[in-house]
Amino acid sequence: MTTTLWSATVLVCLLMYVVLDGYDLGIGVATLFERDPAHRRHLLESVAVGWDGNETWLILLGVALWAGFPLAFGTILPHAYLPMIVLLFSLIVRGVSVEMASQAPPAPRWTTAFGVASLLASFAQGFALGTLTSAVRLRGDVYTGSAFGAFSWFCVLSGLTVTAAYTALGYAYTKHKSAGPLRDSAARRGAVATAVAGVLLVAVLVAVGSTAAPLNLGTPGRAVAFTVLLLFAAGGGGAALVGFAWRRTSRAADALPLGGLVVATVSVFLALGVARYPVLLPPDLTLGSAAGPHSTMVFLLVGIGLNMPLVLAYNVFAHRAFAGKFTTRAAGHEPPPTQGPLAAGARP
């Protein structure tokens, strides 16, 4: 029972991080495709108000995995050392660059660093997930595989899929939060990113059968749950495409792409969890074999359980404090350096 509760805690932290930091990583990637400096500033400022709270879920996820499933943590980390190093370095550069560019605009070099770091962090996350489909070598409880982890073509495919999905989330959030030319641009590009992410996801689901971690759909219950969750994901993706194509300005239309993509993202992760449970890493590292002592899990359930509502409350506060849309100016007109786009253009 304790292992199941802790598994649910890890899953909640993972989903919260993917959804919340996913959209602001996607906005960072979007800055690389935006030519107008004023629009880049708007994109960066929309991230600056809450990126730190979003990434707190990654810390909770790491603590939960390290303490609750120490064998899994000690195996996954060396199995994915290089992408994890790239991820952490990118997050550091990204955090510094977003603050520097926000405090000392226009700072085009810091804005570029923010976009490149966001792209690398997105790809590294997907690449690291892809390594979890490779068989791990253990001798007892000791990892004996390569210090450089597991690299394969599937890791690259997984990295591209996550990057495209985060970019679609970023454009969906931008459409939800902006008005004017940037909203229209986000709608067009968001539809393309959503379609690309959908195609890549299908490729991942087809290709995963050739890895060491094929989908386990041998029982009717698993097959039905997996199918239903994928239908929810397809419905969410379809709703996002409809919302992106909806040119008429309304609160529902602007919120539909973000809501649809959140549903799709959560559904895909749950579907993959159903298809793999209880195996964490192939061939036979399961939740039960990787779990820590019962007393440790009980203690951490209390500690993490008290912190999760606080982090969630901060996320809610940050988004409510900067609620409303911001209006972009005509292309090429940079807002005054002393006044960020959110402060200058926000309207309830």
Side-chain angles (χ1 to χ4, degrees):
M1 180 63 179
T2 307
T3 301
T4 302
L5 287 175
W6 195 249
S7 303
T9 301
V10 173
L11 181 61
V12 169
C13 292
L14 174 62
L15 290 177
M16 291 297 294
Y17 173 75
V18 167
V19 170
L20 291 175
D21 205 43
Y23 84 75
D24 67 42
L25 283 169
I27 290 174
V29 175
T31 61
L32 298 175
F33 300 99
E34 184 57 60
R35 296 182 178 180
D36 182 52
H39 287 179
R40 284 199 297 271
R41 279 280 310 284
H42 281 288
L43 290 171
L44 185 140
E45 289 291 338
S46 66
V47 171
V49 299
W51 70 270
D52 48 355
N54 296 341
E55 290 189 0
T56 304
W57 291 100
L58 182 62
I59 298 174
L60 289 178
L61 174 63
V63 171
L65 189 62
W66 168 69
F69 301 100
L71 180 57
F73 184 86
T75 303
I76 292 173
L77 195 61
H79 198 60
Y81 261 145
L82 288 185
M84 292 301 293
I85 290 172
V86 172
L87 169 62
L88 293 176
F89 180 75
S90 299
L91 292 179
I92 292 171
V93 172
R94 187 170 176 271
V96 173
S97 61
V98 71
E99 293 298 332
M100 292 297 292
S102 181
Q103 297 299 321
R109 292 183 180 179
W110 284 115
T111 303
T112 300
F114 168 69
V116 172
S118 298
L119 177 63
L120 290 176
S122 301
F123 183 79
Q125 287 183 25
F127 196 99
L129 287 175
T131 65
L132 303 186
T133 61
S134 302
V136 296
R137 292 190 291 175
L138 294 174
R139 183 176 298 164
D141 291 343
V142 179
Y143 175 75
T144 59
S146 170
F148 293 97
F151 288 8
S152 68
W153 61 268
F154 186 82
C155 297
V156 176
L157 177 60
S158 178
L160 293 174
T161 304
V162 171
T163 302
Y166 281 177
T167 305
L169 278 169
Y171 280 125
Y173 184 82
T174 302
K175 186 175 189 290
H176 174 59
K177 290 290 293 181
S178 62
L182 183 56
R183 173 189 176 275
D184 299 334
S185 174
R188 293 191 302 269
R189 295 175 178 177
V192 174
T194 301
V196 171
V199 171
L200 289 174
L201 176 61
V202 172
V204 166
L205 294 177
V206 171
V208 72
S210 63
T211 68
L215 302 177
N216 178 14
L217 304 175
T219 60
R222 283 180 184 266
V224 170
F226 181 79
T227 302
V228 170
L229 286 167
L230 284 188
L231 289 175
F232 270 103
L241 288 174
V242 171
F244 279 128
W246 199 339
R247 299 305 179 190
R248 186 176 178 182
T249 302
S250 70
R251 181 169 299 185
D254 289 349
L256 186 58
L258 184 60
L261 288 177
V262 168
V263 170
T265 302
V266 173
S267 297
V268 167
F269 269 88
L270 292 179
L272 292 176
V274 166
R276 292 299 302 154
Y277 183 84
V279 177
L280 282 173
L281 289 172
D284 53 8
L285 183 61
T286 64
L287 291 172
S289 62
H294 174 77
S295 57
T296 300
M297 284 195 171
V298 172
F299 177 79
L300 287 170
L301 275 173
V302 176
I304 297 292
L306 292 175
N307 279 280
M308 287 176 66
L310 295 176
V311 177
L312 183 60
Y314 177 80
N315 290 137
V316 173
F317 170 77
H319 285 83
R320 286 181 63 88
F322 295 94
K325 291 179 175 289
F326 54 92
T327 304
T328 56
R329 293 171 169 79
H333 290 273
E334 185 79 6
T338 58
Q339 199 172 22
L342 289 180
R347 55 182 174 85

